[in-house]
Amino acid sequence: MDSAIIYANAEKIRGVLRYVSRFKDAIIVIHLDDDILNSTLFSSHIHDIAFVHEAGLKVIIVPGAKKRIDSILTDAGCSWTNKNSIRITDEKAIPLIKMAAFDVSNQVMTSLAEVGLTAVIGNWVRARGIGVIDGVDYCTAGEIDKINLESLESILAQKHIPIFPCIGWSGQGKPYNISSVRLATEIASRLHAQKLFFLTSGDSVTTESFSIPSSAIVTDNGSIPALDLDEANYVLENTPANQKTDRTLSLIRQCVIACRQNVERAHIVNGQADGSLLTEIFSDNGSGTMVYTSNYGGIRSMTPEDIPSILTLMQPFVEKGNLLPRTQVQLQATWQDYIVYEVDGGIKACAALHQYESDKTQAEIAAVAVSERFSSLGIGPKLINYLIDKARNRGLRKVFLLTTKTSDWFEQFGFVSSDVSEIPEERKAHWSPERNSKVYSLPL
């Protein structure tokens, strides 16, 4: 088998194993959009949840029930209004709402049983009525007061899956309708869950519909794989709310709330794609948009411990002739010149800025390598711009590079063709007519 294929497959396996190890025994809360429950992919998502559970993660499910409630109330001739995305009904409607919420939860529980998993539906939510706000009586709509965490932790310890209907009860046993989306956020926050997922029926964050900060990573198709809290707030503050963006913006807002309240990461995942949940949990690239607080990824200085990973990363580019081969000894001597792009403990890109004794006014950008699976995320430009800024901060007059195949790519940063006679003597000594690398430079 071709070594490039072996490398690519090995990278995928390493990534999966790294995430399985990282999130073993982690608590994840999954909100299932009610459109997912009626989709042709529902069974596939249930099987994927079973895989997640078998991998050692502790799963909690909060199913949405809006459409089921709409249907039952309509059939019964009950009317309702919406205010601030909250359903307002009279007292006669609450038994029907409760029935709809438990119908949906039972559907999920039955599907989990079909794949051999034990699920438990419970009344773990203490709620209170929203009451009257600005003259509006919210009647049977409630807000979360308390969640019985002790019972939840006991159920999780038995390797069962708790399912939460969108109903809470007062201390006197009075039921209230509560938002399933907000319930998922609250459960994740109060349990300090590692992950919160909103598995939706098509919601996604893209440059086409949302205002995205320049610091965010953008894929070739315009999707946004990850946002830190500042970037997520930028999206919320600068994207006009309309019919196309309103629901996704509300989910981003819940992600931000969750991350501010002890949840490590919150994800918006398009459930219309088969396997999207597994891909988002167990791969570096993911499949949706993740909002995170810290410790996800970014540019950092290389350490000696990174050398084996860097050599592995470079190998496919060496075989293609894009990079000169480096040895472990060479990297041990120059590791302080390197930066890396790390994602969840995995090195996905590297680059170096070398200076030479014979001419300290310029430096070479070299050893630029980005894992093929990350080549569409704009990481390469981030590394180059980072090194250009680093050179400017050192007071250098220019940076240069040598390349055989990527001159067009470097021209987008302003590099122009130069001559080998203009580079430092030490570097010139290693230039060979056989390789005939082109020299490009960028004045600073």
Side-chain angles (χ1 to χ4, degrees):
M1 185 180 292
D2 184 86
S3 60
I5 296 175
I6 294 173
Y7 169 76
N9 289 338
E11 276 295 277
K12 292 177 183 177
I13 294 168
R14 288 175 186 136
V16 171
L17 293 176
R18 190 170 65 250
Y19 282 107
V20 169
S21 174
R22 179 185 177 94
F23 293 115
K24 185 175 176 58
D25 294 324
I27 295 174
I28 68 168
V29 178
I30 302 173
H31 178 272
L32 296 176
D33 185 276
D34 49 359
D35 280 337
I36 296 294
L37 303 177
N38 299 311
S39 77
T40 56
L41 289 177
F42 176 59
S43 176
S44 179
H45 288 309
I46 290 295
H47 277 84
D48 288 348
I49 289 171
F51 286 136
V52 171
H53 184 266
E54 289 165 7
L57 286 76
K58 299 174 180 177
V59 178
I60 296 171
I61 296 177
V62 183
K66 179 181 181 301
K67 291 194 173 182
R68 180 65 175 145
I69 294 172
D70 287 351
S71 175
I72 287 181
L73 292 183
T74 300
D75 289 346
C78 295
S79 61
W80 70 90
T81 58
N82 285 289
K83 181 74 173 178
N84 298 322
S85 300
I86 298 171
R87 185 193 303 270
I88 301 175
T89 63
D90 58 28
E91 294 290 340
K92 292 183 295 183
I94 193 64
L96 299 174
I97 292 174
K98 187 169 68 170
M99 179 177 69
F102 276 84
D103 278 352
V104 168
S105 293
N106 276 309
Q107 179 186 348
V108 175
M109 183 173 68
T110 300
S111 298
L112 290 171
E114 290 172 354
V115 294
L117 297 181
T118 301
V120 180
I121 301 171
N123 58 344
W124 303 294
V125 181
R126 178 76 63 84
R128 60 181 181 274
I130 292 175
V132 179
I133 300 177
D134 295 329
V136 177
D137 187 349
Y138 283 82
C139 302
T140 60
E143 55 189 6
I144 301 161
D145 189 20
K146 182 180 179 181
I147 297 172
N148 190 337
L149 301 183
E150 186 176 338
S151 294
L152 267 184
E153 289 166 351
S154 175
I155 291 166
L156 291 171
Q158 298 173 60
K159 301 189 182 302
H160 300 333
I161 297 179
I163 300 175
F164 278 77
C166 55
I167 299 292
W169 284 263
S170 72
Q172 292 73 44
K174 181 179 180 180
Y176 288 100
N177 183 201
I178 55 181
S179 162
S180 62
V181 169
R182 294 176 188 171
L183 176 57
T185 301
E186 282 295 315
I187 295 166
S189 299
R190 299 189 190 200
L191 281 173
H192 297 187
Q194 280 77 9
K195 285 181 173 288
L196 166 64
F197 290 91
F198 294 106
L199 193 62
T200 75
S201 56
D203 298 87
S204 57
V205 184
T206 66
T207 53
E208 179 184 357
S209 303
F210 297 84
S211 297
I212 307 299
S214 59
S215 59
I217 291 176
V218 181
T219 67
D220 286 346
N221 65 6
S223 63
I224 313 300
L227 296 165
D228 64 25
L229 284 180
D230 290 337
E231 291 165 343
N233 280 319
Y234 180 97
V235 175
L236 292 173
E237 293 167 4
N238 292 278
T239 301
N242 53 49
Q243 189 172 4
K244 189 173 182 179
T245 64
D246 209 25
R247 191 169 81 156
T248 307
L249 286 173
S250 69
L251 293 178
I252 295 173
R253 190 168 291 108
Q254 290 301 311
C255 289
V256 170
I257 291 170
C259 287
R260 285 177 174 167
Q261 296 176 348
N262 304 307
V263 176
E264 288 184 15
R265 302 173 183 186
H267 307 250
I268 300 170
V269 181
N270 182 359
Q272 291 181 342
D274 194 6
S276 55
L277 183 64
L278 290 181
T279 305
E280 185 70 8
I281 297 176
F282 295 121
S283 73
D284 294 319
N285 298 62
S287 60
T289 297
M290 176 179 72
V291 178
Y292 65 97
T293 50
S294 61
N295 300 323
Y296 168 60
I299 296 172
R300 64 167 175 81
S301 298
M302 178 179 164
T303 68
E305 290 73 25
D306 297 324
I307 290 175
S309 296
I310 296 299
L311 290 171
T312 301
L313 174 68
M314 289 180 174
Q315 188 57 34
F317 298 93
V318 173
E319 292 176 357
K320 293 176 184 177
N322 292 349
L323 283 184
L324 289 170
R326 270 91 171 164
T327 66
Q328 183 160 343
V329 172
Q330 287 174 319
L331 289 181
Q332 286 171 340
T334 59
W335 63 267
Q336 292 176 314
D337 294 350
Y338 282 78
I339 58 172
V340 300
Y341 196 97
E342 181 183 53
V343 176
D344 273 338
I347 305 300
K348 304 304 174 186
C350 68
L353 186 69
H354 300 308
Q355 282 190 262
Y356 300 94
E357 286 296 324
S358 62
D359 187 350
K360 294 185 177 180
T361 67
Q362 58 179 314
E364 178 189 12
I365 291 178
V368 180
V370 180
S371 171
E372 186 176 354
R373 293 171 60 213
F374 284 75
S375 60
S376 65
L377 301 184
I379 292 173
K382 288 182 182 294
L383 294 177
I384 299 302
N385 287 322
Y386 184 95
L387 291 181
I388 290 172
D389 288 341
K390 189 174 183 177
R392 284 198 181 101
N393 291 335
R394 290 182 181 178
L396 303 183
R397 65 179 178 85
K398 73 174 180 179
V399 290
F400 70 93
L401 56 91
L402 281 76
T403 181
T404 57
K405 298 183 179 181
T406 55
S407 55
D408 290 341
W409 189 76
F410 284 108
E411 285 174 355
Q412 68 181 305
F413 301 97
F415 283 87
V416 295
S417 179
S418 187
D419 190 85
V420 70
S421 63
E422 298 180 17
I423 66 177
E425 292 298 326
E426 298 99 316
R427 186 63 184 91
K428 194 186 306 179
H430 294 285
W431 183 88
S432 67
E434 292 78 16
R435 185 171 172 83
N436 196 27
S437 298
K438 296 179 180 180
V439 179
Y440 280 77
S441 63
L442 175 71
L444 302 177

